[in-house]
Amino acid sequence: MALDAALGLLACPTCAARLSRDGGSLLCQQGHRFDIARQGHVNLLGRAAPANADTAQMVAARARFLGAGHYQPIVEALRSRVRQASRIVEVGAGTGHYLAGVLDSQPDAVGLATDVSPLAARRAAKAHDRMGSVVADTWAGLPIRSGAADVLLCVFAPRNPTEFARICRQGSLLLVVTPNDGHLAQARERLGLLGIQDDKLAKLNRSLSGAFEAIWSQRIRWTMELDAAAVTDLVQMGPNAFHEHGQAAEPLTVDADVQLSVFRRPIC
C-alpha cells in the first residue's frame, strides 16, 4: 500500500523511534502500535480530532473543486520549484491534491501527507501510489523523523516554524502558498466570506526568520469561471464552512490571487 512508501519518514508520536510495518499496524521498537485503517491511512494523533477539522462534506467539496482543475496554476507553480527531490512532505494536506501533483513530476520521490482530519487523511491515502497519509496535528508536533524531508509543502495550511525546521534537512526547501488581498474577492463580497489577514506575507517571512531563508517569491493570478455548484464547493471546502455566509445561486467570475514563497533551510 502507499503508506509503505513513506515509512522511512515516520517517527513514533510517543517516543520518536522509527516505525515499521507489522501486518496491519505500524510498530516502533518500544512496542507502541498504531493500527492502519482499511482505507490505508494511519491515525498518529493520539486523541480526538479538533472541532475545526475538515468534515466529510468539506473533504468532498474540496475533492470536487480541486479535481475540476480550478487551482491547477498552484500545482504547476509548485512543480516548477521542485527538482530531484526524494522525500516530500505536505502538512495540512487535506485530500493530498497538491502533493500528488508534485509527485507526478518527481518519479523517484516518495511523499507523506499529514492532516488533523481523519476524513481528509482517508481521502489522501488514495491520492497517489507513492504517498502515505497520516492523521497528525502540525501544532502539537509532527510524527516525522528529524531531517527527513527534502521538500516541505504548506498550501493554505497552518505553519509551525519550529517543527518545520526540525523535520527539514539542511538545504531543503519549504514551499508556502498564501492568499493575497485580491484572492476570491468577488466571492467574498457577494457571499460575505471571511476576510484575509492584513500583511500576511510580511508576517510569514517574520515567522520563519532564523529557521529558514527566503530565496524566491511569485505572485500567481488567474480568473475562474465557476458555475453555482463550483462556487458552493469553493465556499464549503474551507474555513467558511464553519461560518454563516450567503448561498451561491448563479455562476460567478472569481479572481484567484496567491503567493508562492520559497524558503531554504540553511546549511550550517
Side-chain angles (χ1 to χ4, degrees), residues 84-98:
Q84 298 181 329
S86 59
R87 298 172 297 181
I88 307 173
V89 175
E90 183 180 4
V91 295
T95 62
H97 177 82
Y98 300 108

Side-chain angles (χ1 to χ4, degrees), residues 49-64:
N52 64 341
D54 285 359
T55 64
Q57 292 78 11
M58 293 170 69
V59 171
R62 186 176 301 177
R64 287 190 299 267

Side-chain angles (χ1 to χ4, degrees), residues 168-203:
C168 286
R169 67 166 178 79
Q170 294 183 16
S172 62
L173 295 181
L174 166 61
L175 280 63
V176 182
V177 177
T178 51
N180 288 318
D181 291 343
H183 188 53
L184 310 182
Q186 298 90 340
R188 287 190 282 118
E189 180 179 358
R190 179 77 62 87
L191 303 176
L193 306 183
L194 296 172
I196 294 174
Q197 185 182 40
D198 292 336
D199 201 21
K200 200 173 185 69
L201 191 58
K203 291 177 180 177

Side-chain angles (χ1 to χ4, degrees), residues 78 89 91 150-155 159-161 164-165 168 171-177 204 208 211-216 260-265:
L78 293 170
V89 175
V91 295
D150 298 319
V151 175
L152 178 58
L153 309 178
C154 182
V155 183
R159 299 177 296 275
N160 184 335
F164 287 6
C168 286
S172 62
L173 295 181
L174 166 61
L175 280 63
V176 182
V177 177
L204 168 66
L208 295 172
F212 293 88
E213 54 185 2
I215 61 172
W216 192 79
L260 170 58
S261 302
V262 182
F263 301 85
R264 179 183 289 123
R265 186 84 171 101

